[in-house]
Amino acid sequence: MSLFKGKDFLKLLDFTPAEIGALLDLAAELKAKKKKGVPHRLCEAKNLALIFEKTSTRTRCSFEVAARDLGMGVTYLDPTGSQIGKKESIADTARVLSGMFDGIEYRGFGQSIVEELAEYATVPVFNGLTDEFHPTQILADFLTVQEHFGKLKDVRFTYMGDARFNMGNSLMVGCAKMGLHFTAGAPKGYYPDPALIERCEEIAKETGATLRFCEDPAEAARDAQVVYTDIWVSMGEPDAVWAERIEALAPYQVNAALMRHAAPEAIFMHCLPAYHDKNTTIGREKCEKFGREAMEVDNEVFEGPQSVVFQEAENRMHTIKAVLAAMIGGAR
Ligand code: CP
Ligand code: NVA
């Protein structure tokens, strides 16, 4: 019997370090197969529903391409094109879709919604991002770190910026689980929820991870092997928070001056999309309004030799494929 078959993938807290390691190994194996053109149709004739209540490029494309490579059909329900939440409850949606599909991906708002979906669904449910957690992103990030440093354990990992939202939370959990040294570089009030920190401290005792919360940006970046950041205003947040975010987080922008504090071998990571220049509608509008050239990362670092952001983006597909192959196909 497979370790994972029929399981949900809602947050990394639900998985042991060995299980996370097994999913990363499977992702590396499937990535190698894809590169060599070796077929891996491990979910032949299955079907996957993709519910997106927020927009997406990487996550949607990763689920769609991964599902097709595995032999599955996919149905995409966009933020406006379904009855979910408006005319039909999450519990009813879960039971309807369970009768037609072999798995359900959900991207939306509260973590409680994806947890409720999973409670009522009789097929595996995959979290494609909530306000609190983005677990498939962490698998891609960790595959990338592993490819770069040959290991996860003891890697010094710094997250700069708003550490209270999905990326800060999930990276802290991932680092605690896999024995990395996690630092959040952020002002007070921008750290993860104290209860989640406490839970991660407990996990860290078992895995050898350490957690640090640092107000001084240079100190946060000091000797880091990975410097990671995310946008300062997340999907679903009101436009009105831009001014306060820029004021609070500007000192934590990842730029060449900050990267000089990191280890010489440091890599730069970002889940994307990133406001690194003015080449997007919102990026331009906000940069002009607040008199800036970029937001959370400048263009020099984003385009520079330490940046691995596009390798990281590609790894979204390979890692999501591993999760689908394990939970639906029974691989591992
Ligand atoms: N990183 C990420 O989840 O990107 P999308 O919002 O494009 O899916
Ligand atoms: N924190 C970001 C992550 C995007 C992948 C958001 O929720 O919009």
Side-chain angles (χ1 to χ4, degrees):
M1 181 60 193
S2 145
L3 186 61
F4 295 106
K5 193 161 185 176
K7 260 192 146 186
D8 302 311
F9 191 77
L10 305 179
K11 56 188 183 302
L12 291 181
L13 285 168
D14 301 337
F15 292 86
T16 65
E19 287 169 336
I20 297 168
L23 289 171
L24 292 172
D25 290 347
L26 179 58
E29 195 180 305
L30 293 171
K31 181 173 180 177
K33 284 197 169 137
K34 170 101 177 171
K35 300 275 175 202
K36 285 194 211 123
V38 177
H40 42 279
R41 297 175 69 87
L42 300 169
C43 304
E44 194 74 74
K46 307 276 189 193
N47 285 289
L48 181 68
L50 305 177
I51 306 172
F52 280 82
E53 300 208 271
K54 290 175 177 170
T55 52
S56 169
T57 296
R58 275 146 293 274
T59 310
R60 177 184 174 183
C61 294
S62 295
F63 271 100
E64 291 212 12
V65 172
R68 277 200 291 273
D69 285 354
L70 291 168
M72 275 195 276
V74 286
T75 298
Y76 173 70
L77 298 164
D78 75 18
T80 54
S82 75
Q83 318 282 24
I84 299 160
K86 299 178 278 286
K87 281 169 67 182
E88 193 153 33
S89 68
I90 294 296
D92 292 356
T93 304
R95 288 171 289 179
V96 169
L97 296 181
S98 293
M100 301 180 197
F101 294 93
D102 303 284
I104 305 166
E105 178 276 355
Y106 175 85
R107 163 173 287 199
F109 296 89
Q111 179 72 15
S112 61
I113 303 173
V114 77
E115 301 270 354
E116 188 184 354
L117 192 64
E119 188 186 330
Y120 285 93
T122 54
V123 296
V125 171
F126 308 100
N127 179 356
L129 176 148
T130 61
D131 291 346
E132 291 90 339
F133 294 114
H134 195 7
T136 62
Q137 178 71 50
I138 310 312
L139 290 185
D141 298 340
F142 281 9
L143 180 63
T144 310
V145 170
Q146 226 169 38
E147 286 172 344
H148 204 83
F149 294 108
K151 61 172 191 175
L152 289 174
K153 182 133 181 57
D154 287 330
V155 168
R156 299 182 299 279
F157 192 109
T158 290
Y159 175 83
M160 301 292 288
D162 188 352
R164 303 167 300 181
F165 219 69
N166 42 28
M167 287 312 305
N169 287 343
S170 309
L171 286 167
M172 178 176 73
V173 173
C175 286
K177 287 269 177 186
M178 303 311 280
L180 289 80
H181 301 296
F182 175 81
T183 299
K188 276 209 177 75
Y190 282 80
Y191 300 138
D193 179 59
L196 185 64
I197 294 179
E198 203 177 308
R199 199 154 166 202
C200 287
E201 293 282 13
E202 285 304 309
I203 298 167
K205 280 186 203 152
E206 304 286 311
T207 63
T210 56
L211 308 180
R212 197 167 67 116
F213 302 92
C214 204
E215 272 185 273
D216 176 353
E219 179 53 26
R222 190 169 54 81
D223 220 16
Q225 291 170 294
V226 179
V227 178
Y228 197 118
T229 192
D230 180 20
I231 49 169
W232 290 339
V233 177
S234 286
M235 288 183 278
E237 294 200 280
D239 198 55
V241 301
W242 272 98
E244 83 185 33
R245 285 301 152 73
I246 289 173
E247 199 189 330
L249 298 175
Y252 301 86
Q253 186 198 52
V254 180
N255 51 40
L258 186 96
M259 287 303 281
R260 276 196 281 279
H261 296 285
E265 74 275 21
I267 55 173
F268 168 70
M269 300 183 74
H270 192 309
C271 53
L272 305 184
Y275 294 121
H276 59 97
D277 59 19
K278 297 182 184 171
N279 292 338
T280 63
T281 328
I282 299 177
R284 184 166 49 252
E285 182 203 318
K286 299 304 177 197
C287 282
E288 280 166 11
K289 180 164 178 195
F290 294 99
R292 300 178 60 87
E293 289 304 310
M295 293 293 168
E296 73 277 7
V297 55
D298 75 358
N299 207 40
E300 188 183 353
V301 170
F302 187 89
E303 297 289 358
Q306 291 169 294
S307 176
V308 297
V309 295
F310 297 111
Q311 178 187 349
E312 181 185 1
E314 180 191 322
N315 282 340
R316 295 299 309 286
M317 198 281 285
H318 304 299
T319 45
I320 282 173
K321 189 186 284 177
V323 171
L324 295 175
M327 274 68 177
I328 297 179
R332 281 290 186 280

